[in-house]
Amino acid sequence: MKRSFYDLNYSDLQMVLKQNDLNHTAAAILFNWHYKEKENVQCNENIAKSSLVFFQNNFNFSLPEIDTVQESNDRTVKFLFKLKDNHTIETVLIPFHNKYSICLSSQVGCAMNCSFCFTGQQGLRRNLTTSEIVGQFLQAWRWLAKNRPGEERILNIVFMGQGEPLHNFDSVKKACEIFLSKYGTSIAVRKITISTAGYIPGLKRWCREMPGVNLAFSLHSPFEEKRNELIPINKKYPLNEVLTYIDEIPVKKKQFITYEYLLIKDFNDSADDAKKVGAMLAGKSAYINLIPFNSFPGSHYERPNWDKIEKFKEVLDKFKIPTLIRIAKGEDVLAACGQLNSKAE
Ligand code: SF4
């Protein structure tokens, strides 16, 4: 089977050219055409025929297929992608002022089994390859160019779709290298955010291998026992240990670690929960996203009322921690946080 071109980062591509005695200048031209131009225009650059023939003969250029597209009332777009082995994954485009953030999946299903998450109910089927991760971005961009011309501006990338990105570290890292490459999509490093439930083997590699990329940590409770219920891997990688690794991550000026906090009615939404979170994060480069729980079929949790949500935030405000209540987008097409589950479509 031919290797996917989209599994190559820039240095892999240079290496392939070198090993096959091909002109090294083809690397920049090919990367530029596939990622910057997104093959939208003719590749007019001066590239040796021998290089083109080599890639045509030895690599495949296929991308995940768009199976279905659901557009929400608020213009959020949810894609169901079909992969070569017929597995499916979901990707979400979230609009803000004619620009978009893209929420990428990193695995088919997820092994973390979080009790509040629709994806977690699937279990892990397999890791995505780099080409399947990058392919979500390219296909979503092309869909925008065709269906919302002039709006094909995807400026933020968040790994918050299906899967635990740090559990598929190598493919996610290589996808980020392609996104960051000046010859690739050249997304700014501060525009990429990777979310983790607290997978310590990945966090251990973070400092050395993901410098500058934003980290979002799914906190959801400051108490180990409640966290054990919400995020079962907390039993293996307890919160207090996870926080020591997160505290070691160098954070630049004006950069924050984002702490995601899913607010669940009568479970983790009390003033005591908020005070404990405040005490835990006060003085750190922390930013808290409060996410009112998004229900999905079969879930036994509920969303607190608005008054309770605001009171929770007021407690955190006293600790002077920047806190945002994140209003869900795309809820009507089950595209909000924790609602993705390709299997149930
Ligand atoms: S919340 Fe994230 S880590 Fe947890 S099961 Fe869902 S996809 Fe996996």
Side-chain angles (χ1 to χ4, degrees):
M1 207 167 78
K2 287 181 186 175
R3 190 176 177 191
S4 171
F5 175 84
Y6 303 103
D7 279 330
L8 305 175
N9 64 16
Y10 191 69
S11 37
D12 293 334
L13 181 54
Q14 285 180 309
M15 185 65 76
V16 167
L17 290 165
K18 195 173 169 198
Q19 284 169 344
N20 292 282
D21 292 325
L22 297 166
N23 190 333
H24 67 94
T25 57
I29 297 171
L30 286 169
F31 238 56
N32 191 74
W33 186 57
H34 285 285
Y35 293 113
K36 206 158 272 166
E37 302 296 348
K38 305 182 184 65
E39 301 159 35
N40 210 28
V41 291
Q42 203 65 28
C43 182
N44 288 325
E45 299 268 5
N46 196 7
I47 183 165
K49 191 149 184 261
S50 54
S51 300
L52 284 177
V53 170
F54 171 81
F55 281 100
Q56 272 158 12
N57 289 343
N58 294 285
F59 284 83
N60 87 66
F61 291 86
S62 63
L63 292 170
E65 239 175 75
I66 296 179
D67 187 89
T68 46
V69 179
Q70 287 176 277
E71 294 180 69
S72 143
N73 296 334
D74 61 17
R75 292 173 55 78
T76 298
V77 189
K78 183 168 84 166
F79 298 92
L80 181 74
F81 285 109
K82 201 167 171 189
L83 307 174
K84 278 220 177 98
D85 55 5
N86 285 330
H87 279 123
T88 52
I89 48 163
E90 291 182 330
T91 305
V92 182
L93 276 174
I94 305 143
F96 61 102
H97 310 301
N98 290 347
K99 297 172 207 144
Y100 290 86
S101 285
I102 191 165
C103 180
L104 298 176
S105 291
S106 54
Q107 296 179 310
V108 181
C110 184
M112 303 299 129
N113 196 23
C114 300
S115 59
F116 54 84
C117 174
F118 211 7
T119 306
Q121 296 185 354
Q122 288 185 66
L124 177 66
R125 305 293 174 83
R126 69 169 173 86
N127 283 332
L128 294 187
T129 60
T130 296
S131 54
E132 288 166 337
I133 297 170
V134 172
Q136 295 169 61
F137 178 97
L138 292 173
Q139 291 290 59
W141 189 96
R142 286 181 191 166
W143 184 90
L144 280 175
K146 188 171 169 208
N147 296 282
R148 297 183 185 176
E151 290 187 30
E152 57 274 31
R153 303 184 66 209
I154 306 175
L155 299 187
N156 286 290
I157 295 177
V158 294
F159 284 85
M160 292 185 186
Q162 289 162 284
E164 159 61 53
L166 298 191
H167 194 212
N168 183 17
F169 198 98
D170 291 326
S171 296
V172 168
K173 180 186 164 195
K174 202 172 257 197
C176 288
E177 287 164 352
I178 293 169
F179 291 135
L180 292 168
S181 166
K182 66 175 175 177
Y183 304 108
T185 47
S186 58
I187 302 262
V189 69
R190 64 183 186 285
K191 299 288 186 188
I192 300 181
T193 302
I194 295 179
S195 172
T196 181
Y199 185 68
I200 285 182
L203 282 171
K204 282 183 179 169
R205 294 177 63 182
W206 187 282
C207 293
R208 272 178 293 117
E209 301 181 51
M210 289 285 185
V213 172
N214 297 310
L215 179 76
F217 170 56
S218 302
L219 175 61
H220 305 330
S221 173
F223 299 107
E224 301 282 3
E225 265 182 34
K226 283 191 197 178
R227 225 173 160 266
N228 286 346
E229 178 180 328
L230 292 172
I231 304 173
I233 56 150
N234 192 66
K235 291 174 200 151
K236 190 167 181 190
Y237 306 121
L239 177 61
N240 67 342
E241 240 180 88
V242 172
L243 290 176
T244 48
Y245 284 101
I246 291 179
D247 288 344
E248 282 171 19
I249 293 173
V251 179
K252 288 194 185 132
K253 222 175 165 187
K254 291 192 183 163
Q255 194 186 19
F256 298 96
I257 303 286
T258 303
Y259 293 83
E260 308 277 350
Y261 195 97
L262 193 65
L263 277 166
I264 299 171
K265 186 180 171 190
D266 299 333
F267 182 81
N268 64 356
D269 60 347
S270 71
D272 281 347
D273 290 296
K275 278 181 204 155
K276 180 86 176 168
V277 172
M280 185 177 265
L281 301 182
K284 295 186 182 182
S285 300
Y287 188 101
I288 300 177
N289 267 337
L290 294 179
I291 310 162
F293 177 69
N294 299 308
S295 65
F296 57 81
S299 119
H300 59 281
Y301 296 124
E302 287 176 48
R303 176 183 290 198
N305 63 35
W306 192 249
D307 189 46
K308 201 86 190 256
I309 294 168
E310 285 195 323
K311 286 212 165 78
F312 198 93
K313 180 178 180 318
E314 279 165 23
V315 173
L316 293 172
D317 289 343
K318 286 186 189 134
F319 287 89
K320 299 198 181 342
I321 305 170
T323 302
L324 183 82
I325 300 171
R326 217 167 78 193
I327 308 299
K329 287 199 171 186
E331 243 180 312
D332 52 327
V333 294
L334 289 186
C337 282
Q339 290 185 318
L340 300 182
N341 184 332
S342 42
K343 192 181 139 203
E345 290 299 307

